[in-house]
Amino acid sequence: MVNLPAGWKIARELKRILLHLKYLGRRFDIFFLGARIYDFKQSRSRSVLIGDLPASRKVAVYLMFSKDGVKPSHLQSIRNIAEAGYAPLVVSNLPLTESDQKLVLSVSWRLILRPNHGYDFGGYRDAMLYLKPKLPELQRLALLNDSTWFPVSQGQSWLKQAEELNLDFAAAVYHEGAVKNQPTDFCDWKWSLDTNRRYFHYSSFAVLFSPTLFNSKPFRDFWIQLITANNKLHTILFGEIRMTRMVLSNNFTHGCTAPLPKIPEIIQNIGNDRLAEALKNLITMDGRMQSYRDSVEAGADGTEAWRKDAIGVLMTTAVQSGAGYALADILINEMGYQFLKKSPVMLDAQSTLATLAISAKLQGEIGAQIRSEIEEMCAENERKH
């Protein structure tokens, strides 16, 4: 006897297919013409300005999307790129005032001003099209953007860390590498890396390519065929995930600078006070995990049972949201990570406080810049509400 799927499952799948077809028909231009629509309609609005820095055989694309103009941290990030020996190719997805253009040009090699089409990958693509004739001469090529503050420590260079891996493709972190457990089973976490998982991908806010990769046909085809859309989910699917698949399917060597496999060992070995602090500074987008975090934090007593629960909440959130996002406190302070995500500041009150607490430990001018910008973001958010 053949076991047929339950009626509700069939109805669910039919509904999903119909919605997909409806969306596909509505956005024919995105799925079948992709970036070609942008190339035809909007590329005339793109301009390239010459910066003060000289050319280099190493180029780092730095994408900006700053509604409030150029911030000190933007200039710090661009200077950090130049100090590593890379020519900064800055791409702004928003118009810049004349004074801001001068600031950026004073610390960069080129500045591309463009319409905000395709989010980060739309900007990256414009940079790739500009660099296409120069690629055979380059030794290294990097992509970075201002979704994070970096570096978070004076004198550190992620680009140099990435070079030392000696890989075709080096990123800062990866995401969706482990099977997710349910929030209710937060102590039943498993920390693993499976690059065959459907949505496994390297985050694109910091990526370094070797000449073997960026002079390859798969690399060129990726950017030519890139489907661009003003939609975050599609940017992740057709940008981050598809780029990762391009690397994996063509057997390029790959990895990330953050030693993510060591996270469970590091968390297991920290003391109770530090564990409680890490729990307090946890960043999560799941309301249920926030509730469990609050409950475990309130019951902190240093017992083995409490430690198990605290570690379970930390690790389950890392599996769900990504370690680079959720465990910024651990990565920065225990593992030398050089990035702090900006988006949690606008997520909710707890995430804002957590980001402030993490930034409070950052030393020198960099730490002061980040804290000042967090306060500005909070004030702007209050004005809006």
Side-chain angles (χ1 to χ4, degrees), residues 286-335:
D286 189 299
R288 292 170 297 176
M289 290 310 304
Q290 289 179 350
S291 297
Y292 293 134
R293 185 203 68 83
D294 293 344
S295 177
V296 174
E297 182 186 13
D301 58 11
T303 62
E304 285 302 312
W306 172 78
R307 284 186 63 88
K308 181 180 179 181
D309 285 347
I311 293 171
V313 169
L314 290 172
M315 294 305 303
T316 294
T317 304
V319 170
Q320 288 183 334
S321 303
Y325 187 90
L327 299 182
D329 185 3
I330 293 291
L331 288 175
I332 290 171
N333 293 295
E334 265 72 32
M335 305 175 76

Coordinates of all heavy atoms in Angstrom, one line a residue, residues 286-335:
D286 N 15.6 35.9 17.9 CA 14.5 35.0 18.2 C 13.9 35.3 19.6 O 14.7 35.3 20.6 CB 15.0 33.5 18.2 CG 13.8 32.5 18.3 OD1 13.1 32.5 19.3 OD2 13.6 31.7 17.3
G287 N 12.6 35.7 19.7 CA 12.0 36.0 20.9 C 12.1 34.9 22.0 O 12.2 35.2 23.2
R288 N 11.9 33.7 21.5 CA 12.0 32.6 22.5 C 13.4 32.5 23.1 O 13.5 32.2 24.3 CB 11.6 31.3 21.8 CG 10.1 31.2 21.4 CD 9.9 30.0 20.5 NE 10.6 30.1 19.2 CZ 10.6 29.1 18.3 NH1 9.9 28.0 18.5 NH2 11.3 29.3 17.2
M289 N 14.4 32.6 22.3 CA 15.8 32.5 22.8 C 16.0 33.7 23.7 O 16.8 33.6 24.7 CB 16.8 32.5 21.7 CG 16.8 31.2 20.8 SD 16.9 29.7 21.8 CE 18.4 30.0 22.8
Q290 N 15.5 34.9 23.5 CA 15.6 36.0 24.4 C 15.0 35.7 25.7 O 15.6 36.0 26.8 CB 14.9 37.2 23.8 CG 15.7 37.8 22.6 CD 15.0 39.0 22.0 OE1 13.8 39.3 22.4 NE2 15.6 39.7 21.1
S291 N 13.9 35.0 25.7 CA 13.2 34.6 27.0 C 14.0 33.6 27.8 O 14.2 33.7 29.0 CB 11.8 34.0 26.7 OG 11.0 35.0 26.1
Y292 N 14.6 32.6 27.0 CA 15.4 31.7 27.7 C 16.7 32.3 28.2 O 17.2 32.0 29.3 CB 15.8 30.5 26.8 CG 14.6 29.7 26.4 CD1 14.4 29.3 25.0 CD2 13.7 29.2 27.3 CE1 13.4 28.5 24.6 CE2 12.6 28.4 26.9 CZ 12.5 28.1 25.6 OH 11.4 27.3 25.2
R293 N 17.3 33.2 27.5 CA 18.5 34.0 27.9 C 18.2 34.7 29.2 O 18.9 34.7 30.2 CB 18.9 34.9 26.8 CG 20.2 35.7 27.1 CD 20.4 36.9 26.3 NE 19.4 37.9 26.8 CZ 19.6 38.7 27.8 NH1 20.7 38.6 28.6 NH2 18.6 39.6 28.2
D294 N 17.0 35.5 29.2 CA 16.7 36.2 30.4 C 16.5 35.3 31.6 O 16.9 35.7 32.7 CB 15.4 37.0 30.1 CG 15.5 38.1 29.1 OD1 16.7 38.4 28.8 OD2 14.5 38.6 28.6
S295 N 15.9 34.2 31.4 CA 15.6 33.3 32.5 C 16.9 32.7 33.1 O 17.1 32.6 34.3 CB 14.7 32.1 32.0 OG 14.5 31.2 33.1
V296 N 17.8 32.3 32.2 CA 19.1 31.7 32.6 C 19.9 32.7 33.2 O 20.6 32.5 34.3 CB 19.8 31.0 31.4 CG1 21.2 30.5 31.8 CG2 19.0 29.9 30.9
E297 N 19.9 33.9 32.7 CA 20.7 35.0 33.3 C 20.2 35.3 34.7 O 21.0 35.5 35.6 CB 20.6 36.3 32.4 CG 21.5 37.4 32.9 CD 21.3 38.7 32.1 OE1 20.3 38.8 31.3 OE2 22.1 39.6 32.3
A298 N 18.9 35.4 34.9 CA 18.4 35.7 36.2 C 18.7 34.6 37.2 O 18.8 34.9 38.4 CB 16.8 35.9 36.1
G299 N 18.8 33.4 36.8 CA 19.1 32.3 37.7 C 20.6 31.9 37.9 O 20.9 30.8 38.3
A300 N 21.4 32.8 37.5 CA 22.9 32.6 37.6 C 23.3 32.2 39.0 O 23.2 33.0 39.9 CB 23.7 33.7 37.1
D301 N 23.8 31.0 39.2 CA 24.3 30.6 40.5 C 25.6 29.9 40.4 O 26.2 29.4 41.5 CB 23.3 29.7 41.2 CG 22.9 28.5 40.4 OD1 23.6 28.2 39.4 OD2 21.9 27.8 40.8
G302 N 26.2 29.7 39.2 CA 27.5 29.1 39.1 C 27.5 27.6 39.2 O 28.6 27.0 39.1
T303 N 26.4 27.0 39.3 CA 26.3 25.5 39.3 C 26.6 24.9 38.0 O 26.4 25.6 36.9 CB 25.0 25.0 39.9 OG1 23.9 25.4 39.0 CG2 24.7 25.6 41.3
E304 N 26.9 23.6 37.9 CA 27.0 22.9 36.6 C 25.8 23.0 35.8 O 25.8 23.1 34.6 CB 27.5 21.5 36.9 CG 29.0 21.4 37.3 CD 29.9 22.0 36.3 OE1 29.8 21.7 35.1 OE2 30.8 22.8 36.7
A305 N 24.6 22.9 36.5 CA 23.3 22.9 35.8 C 23.1 24.3 35.1 O 22.7 24.3 33.9 CB 22.2 22.6 36.7
W306 N 23.5 25.3 35.9 CA 23.4 26.7 35.3 C 24.3 26.9 34.1 O 24.0 27.4 33.1 CB 23.6 27.7 36.3 CG 23.7 29.1 35.7 CD1 22.6 29.9 35.4 CD2 24.9 29.8 35.3 NE1 23.1 31.1 34.8 CE2 24.4 31.1 34.8 CE3 26.2 29.6 35.5 CZ2 25.4 32.0 34.3 CZ3 27.1 30.5 35.0 CH2 26.7 31.7 34.4
R307 N 25.6 26.4 34.3 CA 26.6 26.5 33.2 C 26.1 25.8 31.9 O 26.2 26.3 30.8 CB 27.9 26.0 33.6 CG 28.7 26.9 34.6 CD 30.1 26.3 34.8 NE 30.9 26.2 33.6 CZ 31.6 27.2 33.1 NH1 31.7 28.4 33.8 NH2 32.3 27.1 32.0
K308 N 25.5 24.6 32.1 CA 25.0 23.9 31.0 C 23.9 24.6 30.2 O 23.9 24.7 29.0 CB 24.5 22.5 31.4 CG 23.9 21.7 30.3 CD 23.4 20.3 30.8 CE 22.9 19.5 29.6 NZ 22.3 18.2 30.0
D309 N 23.0 25.2 31.0 CA 21.9 26.0 30.4 C 22.5 27.3 29.7 O 22.1 27.6 28.6 CB 20.9 26.5 31.5 CG 20.0 25.3 31.9 OD1 20.0 24.3 31.2 OD2 19.3 25.5 32.9
A310 N 23.4 28.0 30.4 CA 24.0 29.2 29.8 C 24.7 28.9 28.5 O 24.5 29.6 27.5 CB 25.0 29.8 30.8
I311 N 25.5 27.8 28.5 CA 26.2 27.4 27.3 C 25.3 27.0 26.2 O 25.4 27.3 25.0 CB 27.3 26.3 27.6 CG1 28.4 26.9 28.5 CG2 27.8 25.7 26.3 CD1 29.3 25.8 29.0
G312 N 24.2 26.3 26.6 CA 23.2 25.9 25.6 C 22.5 27.1 24.9 O 22.3 27.0 23.7
V313 N 22.2 28.1 25.7 CA 21.6 29.3 25.1 C 22.6 30.0 24.2 O 22.2 30.4 23.1 CB 21.1 30.3 26.2 CG1 20.7 31.6 25.6 CG2 20.0 29.7 27.0
L314 N 23.8 30.1 24.6 CA 24.8 30.8 23.7 C 25.0 30.0 22.4 O 25.0 30.6 21.3 CB 26.2 30.9 24.5 CG 26.3 31.8 25.6 CD1 27.6 31.7 26.3 CD2 26.1 33.3 25.2
M315 N 25.2 28.7 22.5 CA 25.5 27.9 21.3 C 24.3 27.8 20.4 O 24.4 27.8 19.2 CB 26.0 26.5 21.7 CG 27.4 26.6 22.5 SD 28.7 27.5 21.5 CE 28.7 26.6 20.0
T316 N 23.1 27.6 21.0 CA 21.9 27.5 20.1 C 21.6 28.8 19.4 O 21.3 28.7 18.2 CB 20.7 27.1 21.0 OG1 20.9 25.8 21.5 CG2 19.4 27.1 20.2
T317 N 21.8 29.9 20.0 CA 21.7 31.2 19.4 C 22.7 31.3 18.3 O 22.4 31.9 17.2 CB 21.8 32.3 20.4 OG1 20.8 32.1 21.4 CG2 21.5 33.7 19.7
A318 N 23.9 30.9 18.5 CA 25.0 31.0 17.5 C 24.7 30.1 16.3 O 24.9 30.5 15.2 CB 26.3 30.5 18.1
V319 N 24.1 28.9 16.5 CA 23.7 28.1 15.4 C 22.6 28.7 14.6 O 22.6 28.7 13.4 CB 23.2 26.7 16.0 CG1 22.6 25.9 14.8 CG2 24.4 25.9 16.5
Q320 N 21.6 29.3 15.3 CA 20.5 29.9 14.6 C 20.9 31.2 13.9 O 20.5 31.4 12.7 CB 19.4 30.3 15.7 CG 18.7 29.1 16.2 CD 17.6 29.5 17.2 OE1 17.6 30.6 17.8 NE2 16.6 28.7 17.3
S321 N 21.6 32.1 14.5 CA 21.8 33.5 14.0 C 23.2 33.7 13.4 O 23.4 34.7 12.7 CB 21.6 34.5 15.1 OG 20.3 34.4 15.6
G322 N 24.1 32.7 13.6 CA 25.4 32.9 13.2 C 26.3 33.4 14.3 O 26.0 34.4 15.0
A323 N 27.5 32.8 14.4 CA 28.4 33.2 15.5 C 28.9 34.6 15.4 O 29.0 35.3 16.4 CB 29.6 32.2 15.6
G324 N 29.2 35.0 14.2 CA 29.7 36.4 14.0 C 28.7 37.5 14.4 O 29.1 38.6 14.7
Y325 N 27.4 37.1 14.4 CA 26.4 38.0 14.8 C 26.1 37.8 16.3 O 26.2 38.8 17.1 CB 25.1 37.7 14.0 CG 24.0 38.7 14.2 CD1 23.8 39.8 13.4 CD2 23.0 38.4 15.2 CE1 22.8 40.7 13.6 CE2 21.9 39.3 15.3 CZ 21.8 40.4 14.5 OH 20.8 41.3 14.7
A326 N 25.8 36.6 16.7 CA 25.3 36.4 18.1 C 26.4 36.5 19.1 O 26.2 36.9 20.2 CB 24.7 35.0 18.2
L327 N 27.6 36.0 18.8 CA 28.7 35.8 19.8 C 29.8 36.8 19.6 O 31.0 36.5 19.8 CB 29.2 34.4 19.8 CG 28.3 33.3 20.1 CD1 29.0 31.9 20.1 CD2 27.6 33.5 21.4
A328 N 29.4 38.1 19.2 CA 30.5 39.1 18.9 C 31.4 39.3 20.2 O 32.6 39.5 20.0 CB 29.8 40.4 18.5
D329 N 30.8 39.2 21.4 CA 31.5 39.4 22.6 C 32.6 38.4 22.7 O 33.8 38.7 22.9 CB 30.6 39.3 23.8 CG 31.3 39.6 25.1 OD1 32.5 40.0 25.1 OD2 30.6 39.5 26.2
I330 N 32.3 37.1 22.5 CA 33.3 36.0 22.6 C 34.3 36.1 21.5 O 35.5 36.0 21.7 CB 32.6 34.6 22.5 CG1 31.7 34.4 23.8 CG2 33.6 33.5 22.4 CD1 32.5 34.2 25.1
L331 N 33.9 36.3 20.3 CA 34.8 36.4 19.1 C 35.8 37.5 19.3 O 37.0 37.3 19.0 CB 34.0 36.5 17.8 CG 33.2 35.3 17.4 CD1 32.4 35.7 16.1 CD2 34.1 34.2 17.1
I332 N 35.3 38.7 19.7 CA 36.2 39.9 19.8 C 37.2 39.7 20.9 O 38.4 39.9 20.8 CB 35.4 41.2 19.9 CG1 34.7 41.5 18.6 CG2 36.3 42.3 20.3 CD1 33.7 42.6 18.6
N333 N 36.7 39.3 22.1 CA 37.5 39.4 23.3 C 38.3 38.1 23.6 O 39.3 38.1 24.3 CB 36.6 39.7 24.5 CG 36.1 41.1 24.5 OD1 36.8 42.1 24.5 ND2 34.7 41.2 24.3
E334 N 37.8 37.0 23.1 CA 38.5 35.7 23.3 C 39.3 35.2 22.0 O 40.1 34.4 22.1 CB 37.6 34.6 23.7 CG 37.5 34.4 25.2 CD 36.8 35.6 26.0 OE1 35.9 36.2 25.4 OE2 37.2 35.9 27.1
M335 N 38.9 35.7 20.8 CA 39.4 35.1 19.6 C 40.0 36.1 18.6 O 40.4 35.8 17.5 CB 38.3 34.3 18.9 CG 37.6 33.3 19.8 SD 36.2 32.5 19.1 CE 37.0 31.3 18.0

